Amino acid sequence: MSLLRQRKPTGTSNATESDPNICQEDEKKNKAASKDKNPKKQKSWSCIDSCCWLIGWICVTWWFLLFLYNAIPTSFNQYVTEAITGPVPDPPGVKLKKEGLTVKHPVVFVPGIVTGGLELWEGHQCADGLFRKRLWGGTFGEVYKRPLCWVEHMSLDNETGLDPSGIRVRPVSGLVAADYFAPGYFVWAVLIANLANIGYEEKNMYMAAYDWRLSFQNTEVRDQTLSRIKSNIELMVATNGGKKAVIIPHSMGVLYFLHFMKWVEAPAPMGGGGGPDWCAKHIKAVMNIGGPFLGVPKAVAGLFSAEAKDVAVARAITPGFLDHDLFPHQTLQHLMRMTRTWDSTMSMIPKGGDTIWGGLDWSPEECHSPSRKRQIANDTQIANENGSEVVVSQIKHVNYGRVISFGKDVVDAPSSEIERIDFRDAFKGQSVANSTCSEVWTEYHEMGYGGIKAVAEFKAYTAGLIIDLLHFVAPKMMARGDAHFSYGIAENLDNPEYQHYKYWSNPLETTLPTAPDMEIYSLYGVGLPTERAYVYKLTSAECGIPFQIDTSADDEDSCLKDGVYSVDGDETVPVLSAGFMCAKGWRGKTRFNPSGIRTYIREYDHSPPANLLEGRGTLSGNHVDIMGNFALIEDIIRVAAGATGEDLGGNQVYSDIFKWSEKINLQL
Amino acid sequence: MSLIRRRKQNETSRPTRSDPSSIDKEDDNKKKIPAKDQNAEEIALKKLRKWSCIDSCCWLIGSICVTWWFLLFLYNAIPASFNQYVTEAITGPVPDPPGVKLKKEGLTVKHPVVFVPGIVTGGLELWEGHQCAEGLFRKRLWGGTFGEVYKRPLCWVEHMSLDNETGLDPSGIRVRPVSGLVAADYFAPGYFVWAVLIANLARIGYEEKTMYMAAYDWRISFQNTEVRDQTLSRIKSNIELMVATNGGNKAVIIPHSMGVLYFLHFMKWVEAPAPMGGGGGPDWCAKHIKTVMNIGGPFFGVPKAVGGLFSAEAKDIAVIRATAPGFLDNDIFRLQTLQHVMRMTRTWDSTMSMIPKGGDTIWGGLDWSPEEGYTPSKRKQRNNDTQVANEDDSEVVASQRKHVNFGRIISFGKDIAEAPSSQIDMIDFRGAVKGNSVANNTCRDVWTEYHEMGYEGIKAVAEYKAYTAESILDLLHFVAPKLMARGSAHFSYGIADNLDDPKYRHYKYWSNPLETTLPNAPDMEIFSMYGVGIPTERAYVYKLTPSADCYIPFQIDTSADDDDTPLKDGVYAVDGDETVPVLSAGFMCAKGWRGKTRFNPSGIRTYLREYEHSPPANLLEGRGTQSGAHVDIMGNFQLIEDIIRVAAGARGEDLGGDQVHSDIFKMSEKINLQL
């Protein structure tokens, strides 16, 4: 249909150019055609007839194709793929069903940021007719139809981080909340379908959908989401003969579920009052997929200049934003203002400061071009380390620790040569008059030129300083953030201050629950370049965001491209963030894991789909596409059917995560 | 879209007939000709010749497309409130929807609400299927567009059917209820069920955390929903959660149609000890339920169910009519549509929950019925307190009318339906030899139990001539022994002599209000809300189907018609909501549970709320805001207002107590039931 409609206007416009009276001619013709044939008709043949031929012809062809399309069997696609690439392997669900696996443990999905659908329950005048329609997820039709209205309804209150008055946007519930993000773009659907093959259905699968814009504790305050998840897990365990649940969080859902595990055992009213053995009683395994345990550098760029797209999914819609300039001229500011009202984005700011992410002169990771990486067998990883180090040493040293640098020369310079002027006390200068920037307003305009200059003059920011930087450029946002999230490392976990909910989603400031039989998995993709550090520059525009990634900064030797330094990861989460806790922080009995919950790392090496028919591929390691990775699905199904981590074969590692973890000097 | 495509086919088929050479080639010729340097006149002549046929055809297609796109553009361009403007221009200002009106009065969320959908309105989706259902994983088989019914009808019937022995899934097939509010907000696109109520509740602040759709698989028996899906446990857990997260405010339950019986079952189940029950303890209902607001509840079943089970002819509720015409007229299942439908519906245990309950005591015997003297056109609205005073008047009217034997739910022949009982020569069918089975192979794969019965049995059934509610049960046992064997394991249709008898602790009695007691919850309230003013099926005149070997042997005698009595097309009608007669919907709240009775030992207060049907004023109103029809009543503004007021904290007295338009109190008095 869309194809047709696009082509049609060109057909008619041609005709209109040559003959502006086409409509009148048209009617005359119709009358004339049925009656006598006069010479007038012959004259107009060339123009109107060819035009009508075109339309008629296209319509007929289209209907014919539509008919054909409906007539071919659904498995046609599969036949073609098989003809090209040879027989396709059975999907994991079918394969494991043949092995005799059946339903055992109930499973709970915890979706990540942006993948969950949101729908409108109450709105302003401009959102008339959208009641219970999706504002987020689905077709995103309204983004194009009424963009300003959409931004208004998707934003939260700037002070409270909750609903603005008169607007209620709520998460969609049920499996439909996040099975597909947009039509044809699966998130959980493939996993659900494969689990269904071995007998799962809605009574033993639960989508823990939540409003991913809110801070974690606010989902309970506003929607009682955490209570709902608790109640549903209890129900599923009870109706499945006491078999404990397998939890499968993805992306930000990983942090959300960390928060949940602390919440559920904490006493009411701040917690769920489930008692200290709730997790031990109800959870068999937590299988984290692509978990940003220690945050993602992308979030910094997103908050600082709205430039990094949050996950690959958002890219599908953002090009429309950025290129077409739907919002009069100030797309980025509108986006920034909206996303800054979302407290949840602050859960992804890098945690652990310089200890984890590296200082001015060192960082745990080295630059790897993905081609040089080899598979490392599980048991030989230590033996191979020396070998890989030889390769690495030939590579130029990269200062990943400087998450933000101003200018490429600053990045490459040794720390002693960088002259930094402290920005923290800098006078912020006078506010830029709001009136000149129309109604779009970001906190940068309050800051004034003096502050902007001070920020640039500090030149290089490490993970620890990033927090100060954000406090400086966006004090109001960070004030909300501080109430809900924390980014440090706990000195003494027994300190009563850590009973506050703001620490619950930071794995470095909480302990795991006392549940020695539980298992924690970290499943993530590797082999894709992932944003890790940025080169920034100042922009001149008065109303624009004053900082911008310096896309001219490029270096073939050191993983720098378009102003972004990348490391190994799944395109969103660096290996370090996804793997460190399970590789070292929680391995064995540590102070973060007092009961010695067993942890496993399962990495999946990325390989792109062989041909277009495969869609997003069955071997992808991408942050979202990994949800369709057959190897990952097989692992999950095996665990759901009763296997333990040892049965899966323990760790499966392709990256240098163990080596990098060793470099991190964290008290355990 | 569909409109255009349909028209197009006519257009294209015409030229193909007159000009078998394909349009394609003609087109190519045309392009080539100008290129060849021929003289202009020749070209003109050729074009002139071709103009008449192909050109006019392409003109039509082209202009239709352009018009359509133009209209589509216009349609997208008009504001969403355009419809409302037109309606206002025609009928004057439309009243505010109840949600908006009550929000202005200051009502807000108080009690969490639970919706219990009825039969057929809940969506079902496929989780595991046979080869033929490929690509339908997690697609709706029931509800939504029903696209698959037309595309692959036999496959659809196969997947919608249950196992004939167990009443559970056939092997290799898992069809499961859709969950969440989407399960039953719309039955088909544009055909609302709960959507209007949900939208109005949302106006005063309700959202998903305070509204719960207790969706269940309406095909299987009530207890089996727990056995297979743990649906009852799920409902219990969700109500507990909602009450806990709403500061202890008790829930308002809103069951519709068969959901009413399902919720009766739930209330017994939840307080019964495990393993048969939910183990919630004897005060669970008192602690968690504020009000049960039954909408169009078939407490005593519906006579329609008999017609449905006996000969698959009565459509279950008005909703299914929307799809059924396609079934019956187009004959998509080669010739034997009705048998296919019958075989499918007979595997659904739930249909047996709607067989009339209470026997002759409730539904009337051969010579009497509580509804005698029904006069739909002459009924007047009565105030609540004057109903007794008016009774004499209406009785006078009634006595002038011809006597109708509503008690004879099935009669063979119109003369039997009207004859005094002494003149009917009834030959008992119960001992009759069923005769030889008709060879199955002559009837291809379609098989119903009638073919096992043989001609002798069929004849015996017809010779008994008239069946009352009680003998209907024997009749069904006779014609469909397997079906009823499953049915009697899950449902019961009698009246309890002694409710303390321990046998009544079995789950099969829980959905029959005449064989259970209400929970011990003196603060609870029970509403019966239903539409009146629409003729509703009550009794049938049957005939034997003339010859067909493979056909269902009984058929409603549509030639039976009578202007004096409410007999039309072989169906006697009484007052009701088009599906449930007033008697079935109202009796328990009017008499059976009113005050402290043996069925209501704790004296739960009951209220009757009747809504007089008036059809929509014009087409733009859609299904109307004052409808009393079984499903359309869900969009009745008055009913919605009542529900919202209760959800926001009002009690039955605040609403004004009973609101009665029908003769329900008079009818109830005629029923001699020990209370």
Side-chain angles (χ1 to χ4, degrees):
Chain A
M1 184 61 241
S2 58
L3 174 89
L4 237 216
R5 246 189 254 163
Q6 273 160 2
R7 268 209 247 159
K8 189 225 70 178
T10 53
T12 40
S13 62
N14 283 348
T16 332
E17 276 159 35
S18 54
D19 186 350
N21 297 330
I22 187 162
C23 268
Q24 292 168 5
E25 292 272 3
D26 188 10
E27 280 184 19
K28 279 181 203 162
K29 187 107 319 178
N30 268 336
K31 282 173 201 158
S34 53
K35 292 167 192 170
D36 56 337
K37 295 150 192 170
N38 51 38
K40 263 187 197 171
K41 257 180 286 160
Q42 291 174 22
K43 251 186 282 168
S44 52
W45 165 261
S46 52
C47 141
I48 304 164
D49 288 353
S50 58
C51 140
C52 86
W53 256 116
L54 198 73
I55 295 176
W57 180 237
I58 290 172
C59 284
V60 171
T61 322
W62 174 53
W63 284 319
F64 181 67
L65 289 176
L66 202 78
F67 171 77
L68 273 189
Y69 176 77
N70 278 321
I72 56 165
T74 42
S75 48
F76 179 73
N77 214 340
Q78 202 191 326
Y79 292 134
V80 175
T81 319
E82 279 186 14
I84 298 173
T85 59
V88 174
D90 270 344
V94 176
K95 179 184 148 197
L96 296 174
K97 193 189 178 184
K98 283 180 192 155
E99 284 185 23
L101 267 62
T102 53
V103 186
K104 190 167 177 201
H105 299 277
V107 297
V108 177
F109 308 118
V110 188
I113 195 166
V114 309
T115 48
L118 298 173
E119 59 189 14
L120 185 76
W121 278 86
E122 186 181 342
H124 292 159
Q125 191 65 37
C126 71
D128 212 11
L130 293 182
F131 176 68
R132 284 184 65 215
K133 297 272 186 311
R134 283 198 182 195
L135 287 189
W136 190 271
T139 59
F140 282 96
E142 298 306 321
V143 181
Y144 295 97
K145 276 196 201 155
R146 11 188 161 167
L148 284 173
C149 182
W150 182 81
V151 164
E152 182 188 348
H153 284 79
M154 285 297 295
S155 299
L156 294 168
D157 187 281
N158 211 19
E159 302 282 319
T160 61
L162 293 169
D163 292 328
S165 80
I167 292 178
R168 281 186 292 149
V169 174
R170 294 288 178 266
V172 177
S173 67
L175 292 179
V176 288
D179 55 350
Y180 288 93
F181 176 66
Y185 194 95
F186 71 83
V187 181
W188 295 92
V190 178
L191 181 58
I192 292 172
N194 279 290
L195 281 166
N197 277 332
I198 69 160
Y200 277 89
E201 52 195 64
E202 269 199 275
K203 69 175 171 181
N204 35 36
M205 285 196 281
Y206 171 62
M207 179 72 75
Y210 57 97
D211 189 337
W212 46 263
R213 298 173 305 157
L214 300 183
S215 75
F216 302 157
Q217 189 71 8
N218 273 345
T219 61
E220 171 68 11
V221 171
R222 196 191 72 181
D223 297 337
Q224 287 86 46
T225 309
L226 296 171
S227 301
R228 200 166 295 267
I229 297 172
K230 173 172 177 261
S231 158
N232 270 291
I233 293 178
E234 283 168 355
L235 172 71
M236 286 206 297
V237 171
T239 55
N240 278 283
K243 297 197 183 68
K244 292 187 266 185
V246 172
I247 318 288
I248 308 171
H250 173 232
S251 186
M252 193 178 77
V254 168
L255 302 176
Y256 190 68
F257 198 74
L258 278 182
H259 187 94
F260 173 82
M261 285 196 290
K262 295 304 285 184
W263 173 86
V264 76
E265 300 199 339
M270 199 194 276
D277 56 352
W278 195 94
C279 289
K281 272 188 192 158
H282 292 92
I283 300 176
K284 169 190 155 63
V286 183
M287 307 190 77
N288 302 295
I289 303 176
F293 288 98
L294 304 173
V296 287
K298 244 184 194 179
V300 175
L303 290 169
F304 190 55
S305 63
E307 275 186 289
K309 292 105 216 166
D310 196 350
V311 282
V313 181
R315 284 181 203 249
I317 47 164
T318 40
F321 276 14
L322 302 173
D323 305 343
H324 295 152
D325 244 337
L326 282 172
F327 310 122
H329 302 300
Q330 289 150 331
T331 313
L332 270 182
Q333 280 97 322
H334 272 286
L335 258 193
M336 191 159 174
R337 199 171 58 144
M338 179 174 78
T339 51
R340 280 209 178 171
T341 64
W342 298 347
D343 286 353
S344 63
T345 53
M346 284 177 280
S347 69
M348 312 262 257
I349 294 174
K351 292 164 189 170
D354 296 2
T355 314
I356 299 290
W357 294 95
L360 281 177
D361 286 324
W362 77 280
S363 71
E365 299 118 312
E366 290 102 12
C367 169
H368 265 244
S369 40
S371 54
R372 282 188 216 165
K373 206 165 27 60
R374 295 136 298 140
Q375 175 167 353
I376 302 169
N378 304 331
D379 21 14
T380 57
Q381 79 221 9
I382 297 160
N384 273 351
E385 238 167 56
N386 297 343
S388 58
E389 213 145 345
V390 175
V391 180
V392 170
S393 62
Q394 294 163 349
I395 298 167
K396 201 174 157 189
H397 180 72
V398 180
N399 295 313
Y400 282 126
R402 303 172 191 175
V403 178
I404 289 181
S405 327
F406 278 88
K408 185 165 174 276
D409 46 335
V410 174
V411 189
D412 295 334
S415 60
S416 52
E417 287 173 23
I418 304 175
E419 191 191 330
R420 302 205 294 180
I421 301 164
D422 202 345
F423 63 95
R424 272 161 277 211
D425 301 324
F427 175 55
K428 284 198 181 178
Q430 287 196 1
S431 165
V432 179
N434 285 343
S435 54
T436 61
C437 299
S438 62
E439 88 274 30
V440 181
W441 175 92
T442 63
E443 284 189 270
Y444 283 124
H445 298 134
E446 276 193 343
M447 198 161 78
Y449 301 117
I452 291 168
K453 221 176 145 210
V455 165
E457 276 173 359
F458 192 65
K459 292 201 175 74
Y461 296 86
T462 60
L465 289 167
I466 287 286
I467 311 290
D468 294 327
L469 173 64
L470 289 173
H471 270 288
F472 185 75
V473 300
K476 283 190 191 161
M477 176 182 83
M478 290 305 285
R480 276 187 294 132
D482 281 345
H484 288 287
F485 301 105
S486 173
Y487 312 102
I489 299 176
E491 293 289 327
N492 173 15
L493 282 162
D494 298 329
N495 191 329
E497 75 165 316
Y498 289 114
Q499 283 162 19
H500 191 270
Y501 62 77
K502 75 174 182 177
Y503 300 103
W504 289 345
S505 59
N506 181 358
L508 298 172
E509 291 179 304
T510 47
T511 55
L512 287 178
T514 311
D517 291 336
M518 207 168 103
E519 291 179 322
I520 295 184
Y521 293 77
S522 205
L523 313 155
Y524 54 90
V526 294
L528 286 167
T530 306
E531 297 172 39
R532 175 68 171 84
Y534 301 91
V535 178
Y536 266 90
K537 65 177 180 190
L538 282 175
T539 53
S540 50
E542 214 174 274
C543 291
I545 294 166
F547 309 108
Q548 217 175 42
I549 292 176
D550 182 3
T551 47
S552 66
D554 234 325
D555 191 338
E556 280 178 20
D557 287 341
S558 65
C559 294
L560 173 66
K561 211 186 156 198
D562 296 339
V564 178
Y565 282 96
S566 56
V567 290
D568 200 5
D570 66 1
E571 208 169 10
T572 297
V573 183
V575 164
L576 185 71
S577 178
F580 174 75
M581 287 316 287
C582 283
K584 189 173 172 197
W586 288 333
R587 184 137 291 193
K589 265 196 191 180
T590 69
R591 65 188 182 110
F592 301 110
N593 181 8
S595 62
I597 295 171
R598 265 152 304 157
T599 61
Y600 300 95
I601 289 186
R602 305 284 294 174
E603 291 185 348
Y604 303 90
D605 203 9
H606 175 76
S607 56
N611 57 55
L612 269 177
L613 281 170
E614 268 192 14
R616 286 152 67 203
T618 56
L619 298 155
S620 179
N622 175 287
H623 190 58
V624 175
D625 293 351
I626 199 173
M627 308 290 281
N629 185 310
F630 278 6
L632 174 127
I633 292 174
E634 189 177 326
D635 285 350
I636 289 176
I637 294 182
R638 283 190 191 281
V639 171
T644 62
E646 292 306 325
D647 300 337
L648 293 187
N651 297 324
Q652 169 182 294
V653 176
Y654 299 94
S655 71
D656 293 330
I657 179 68
F658 283 108
K659 202 183 78 189
W660 292 342
S661 302
E662 259 172 46
K663 290 194 196 162
I664 293 173
N665 181 23
L666 178 71
Q667 182 209 334
L668 291 177
Chain B
M1 182 61 239
S2 58
L3 175 88
I4 291 289
R5 241 190 263 162
R6 245 181 272 146
R7 266 208 246 163
K8 185 228 68 175
Q9 279 166 349
N10 299 340
E11 274 0 293
T12 40
S13 60
R14 237 178 273 153
T16 338
R17 256 180 262 135
S18 55
D19 185 350
S21 69
S22 74
I23 298 170
D24 193 5
K25 281 177 195 164
E26 291 275 356
D27 191 20
D28 281 0
N29 287 344
K30 204 147 299 164
K31 279 176 195 159
K32 279 172 201 161
I33 288 163
K36 291 177 200 164
D37 210 352
Q38 294 183 9
N39 75 60
E41 242 183 71
E42 226 175 305
I43 302 168
L45 273 171
K46 271 192 181 172
K47 276 175 198 160
L48 206 64
R49 192 158 40 83
K50 279 171 193 163
W51 170 261
S52 52
C53 138
I54 303 163
D55 290 352
S56 56
C57 137
C58 83
W59 256 119
L60 259 166
I61 296 177
S63 56
I64 288 171
C65 284
V66 170
T67 324
W68 174 52
W69 283 321
F70 181 68
L71 288 177
L72 202 77
F73 171 76
L74 272 189
Y75 177 77
N76 279 321
I78 56 167
S81 48
F82 178 73
N83 214 340
Q84 202 192 323
Y85 291 134
V86 175
T87 319
E88 278 186 18
I90 297 174
T91 57
V94 174
D96 270 344
V100 176
K101 180 182 146 197
L102 296 175
K103 194 189 177 182
K104 284 179 192 154
E105 284 185 24
L107 267 61
T108 52
V109 187
K110 188 166 178 205
H111 298 277
V113 298
V114 177
F115 309 118
V116 188
I119 195 167
V120 310
T121 48
L124 299 173
E125 58 187 15
L126 184 76
W127 279 85
E128 185 181 343
H130 291 160
Q131 190 66 36
C132 70
E134 210 188 342
L136 294 181
F137 175 69
R138 286 185 63 216
K139 297 273 188 309
R140 284 199 182 195
L141 287 189
W142 190 270
T145 58
F146 282 96
E148 297 306 321
V149 181
Y150 296 96
K151 274 194 203 157
R152 13 189 162 166
L154 286 173
C155 182
W156 184 81
V157 164
E158 182 188 347
H159 284 79
M160 285 297 295
S161 299
L162 294 168
D163 187 282
N164 211 19
E165 302 282 318
T166 60
L168 294 170
D169 292 329
S171 79
I173 292 178
R174 280 186 292 149
V175 173
R176 294 289 178 268
V178 177
S179 67
L181 293 179
V182 288
D185 55 349
Y186 289 93
F187 176 66
Y191 193 96
F192 71 81
V193 182
W194 294 91
V196 178
L197 182 58
I198 292 171
N200 278 290
L201 281 167
R203 295 277 188 176
I204 67 161
Y206 278 89
E207 52 195 64
E208 272 199 90
K209 68 175 175 181
T210 40
M211 287 195 279
Y212 171 63
M213 179 73 74
Y216 57 98
D217 189 338
W218 45 263
R219 297 172 306 159
I220 58 183
S221 73
F222 302 157
Q223 190 69 8
N224 273 346
T225 61
E226 172 67 12
V227 170
R228 197 191 70 182
D229 297 336
Q230 288 87 49
T231 309
L232 296 171
S233 301
R234 200 166 295 267
I235 296 172
K236 172 171 178 261
S237 157
N238 270 290
I239 293 178
E240 283 167 357
L241 172 71
M242 286 206 298
V243 171
T245 55
N246 279 285
N249 285 323
K250 291 188 265 185
V252 172
I253 317 288
I254 308 171
H256 173 234
S257 186
M258 193 178 78
V260 168
L261 302 177
Y262 190 68
F263 198 74
L264 278 183
H265 187 94
F266 173 82
M267 286 196 291
K268 294 305 285 184
W269 173 87
V270 75
E271 299 199 339
M276 199 193 277
D283 57 351
W284 194 93
C285 289
K287 272 187 192 158
H288 292 91
I289 300 177
K290 169 188 154 63
T291 311
V292 183
M293 308 189 79
N294 302 297
I295 303 176
F299 287 99
F300 296 151
V302 286
K304 245 186 195 180
V306 174
L309 288 169
F310 191 55
S311 63
E313 273 185 292
K315 290 107 215 163
D316 196 351
I317 50 169
V319 179
I320 204 171
R321 284 181 204 252
T323 51
F327 275 12
L328 302 173
D329 305 342
N330 294 336
D331 242 339
I332 37 178
F333 308 122
R334 312 163 214 133
L335 300 177
Q336 290 152 329
T337 314
L338 272 182
Q339 281 97 322
H340 273 287
V341 170
M342 190 159 176
R343 198 169 59 143
M344 178 174 78
T345 52
R346 281 210 178 170
T347 64
W348 297 347
D349 286 354
S350 64
T351 52
M352 284 178 280
S353 71
M354 312 262 257
I355 293 173
K357 292 164 189 170
D360 296 0
T361 315
I362 301 290
W363 293 95
L366 283 176
D367 285 323
W368 77 279
S369 69
E371 286 116 327
E372 281 159 349
Y374 163 63
T375 51
S377 50
K378 290 186 196 163
R379 213 165 13 71
K380 304 136 286 162
Q381 174 166 353
R382 273 169 220 185
N383 292 330
N384 304 332
D385 21 15
T386 58
Q387 80 222 8
V388 183
N390 275 350
E391 238 167 55
D392 295 344
D393 292 355
S394 57
E395 216 144 346
V396 176
V397 178
S399 61
Q400 292 164 353
R401 297 188 56 85
K402 202 170 162 186
H403 182 76
V404 181
N405 295 312
F406 287 120
R408 303 174 193 174
I409 294 184
I410 289 183
S411 326
F412 277 89
K414 188 176 168 235
D415 45 338
I416 303 286
E418 286 165 0
S421 61
S422 52
Q423 288 172 21
I424 303 175
D425 185 11
M426 289 160 86
I427 300 165
D428 201 346
F429 63 94
R430 273 160 270 215
V433 183
K434 284 198 181 175
N436 283 323
S437 165
V438 180
N440 284 344
N441 50 4
T442 61
C443 300
R444 278 184 279 172
D445 54 328
V446 180
W447 175 92
T448 63
E449 285 190 272
Y450 281 125
H451 299 134
E452 276 194 339
M453 199 160 80
Y455 300 115
E456 302 301 318
I458 291 168
K459 223 177 140 206
V461 165
E463 277 172 359
Y464 190 66
K465 293 197 176 78
Y467 295 85
T468 61
E470 232 161 71
S471 40
I472 284 285
L473 286 176
D474 295 325
L475 172 65
L476 287 173
H477 269 290
F478 185 74
V479 300
K482 283 187 190 164
L483 171 96
M484 291 306 287
R486 276 186 293 133
S488 13
H490 287 288
F491 301 105
S492 172
Y493 312 101
I495 298 176
D497 284 330
N498 174 14
L499 281 162
D500 297 330
D501 192 326
K503 80 165 174 172
Y504 288 115
R505 287 184 207 148
H506 192 269
Y507 62 76
K508 76 175 184 178
Y509 300 104
W510 288 346
S511 59
N512 180 358
L514 297 172
E515 291 178 305
T516 46
T517 55
L518 287 178
N520 183 26
D523 290 339
M524 208 169 102
E525 291 180 322
I526 295 184
F527 285 73
S528 203
M529 322 170 86
Y530 52 90
V532 294
I534 307 180
T536 307
E537 295 172 41
R538 173 68 169 83
Y540 300 92
V541 178
Y542 266 89
K543 65 175 181 190
L544 282 175
T545 325
S547 57
D549 253 359
C550 295
Y551 223 69
I552 295 170
F554 309 109
Q555 216 175 38
I556 292 177
D557 182 4
T558 48
S559 67
D561 233 327
D562 193 337
D563 286 339
D564 289 341
T565 57
L567 173 65
K568 211 186 156 201
D569 296 340
V571 177
Y572 283 97
V574 291
D575 197 6
D577 67 0
E578 206 170 8
T579 297
V580 183
V582 165
L583 183 71
S584 179
F587 176 79
M588 284 317 285
C589 283
K591 190 173 172 198
W593 287 333
R594 186 139 290 195
K596 265 197 192 181
T597 69
R598 65 189 183 111
F599 300 109
N600 180 9
S602 63
I604 294 171
R605 265 150 305 160
T606 63
Y607 299 96
L608 279 181
R609 303 288 291 177
E610 292 187 347
Y611 303 90
E612 177 90 64
H613 175 75
S614 58
N618 58 52
L619 270 178
L620 281 169
E621 267 191 15
R623 287 151 67 201
T625 57
Q626 302 180 51
S627 178
H630 191 58
V631 175
D632 293 352
I633 200 174
M634 307 289 281
N636 185 311
F637 276 8
Q638 246 188 308
L639 174 126
I640 293 175
E641 190 178 325
D642 285 351
I643 290 177
I644 294 182
R645 283 191 191 281
V646 171
R651 306 194 58 86
E653 293 305 326
D654 303 334
L655 294 186
D658 293 339
Q659 169 182 293
V660 176
H661 302 277
S662 72
D663 295 330
I664 179 67
F665 283 110
K666 207 185 74 187
M667 288 180 206
S668 304
E669 260 172 47
K670 289 194 197 159
I671 291 174
N672 181 21
L673 177 73
Q674 181 210 334
L675 291 175

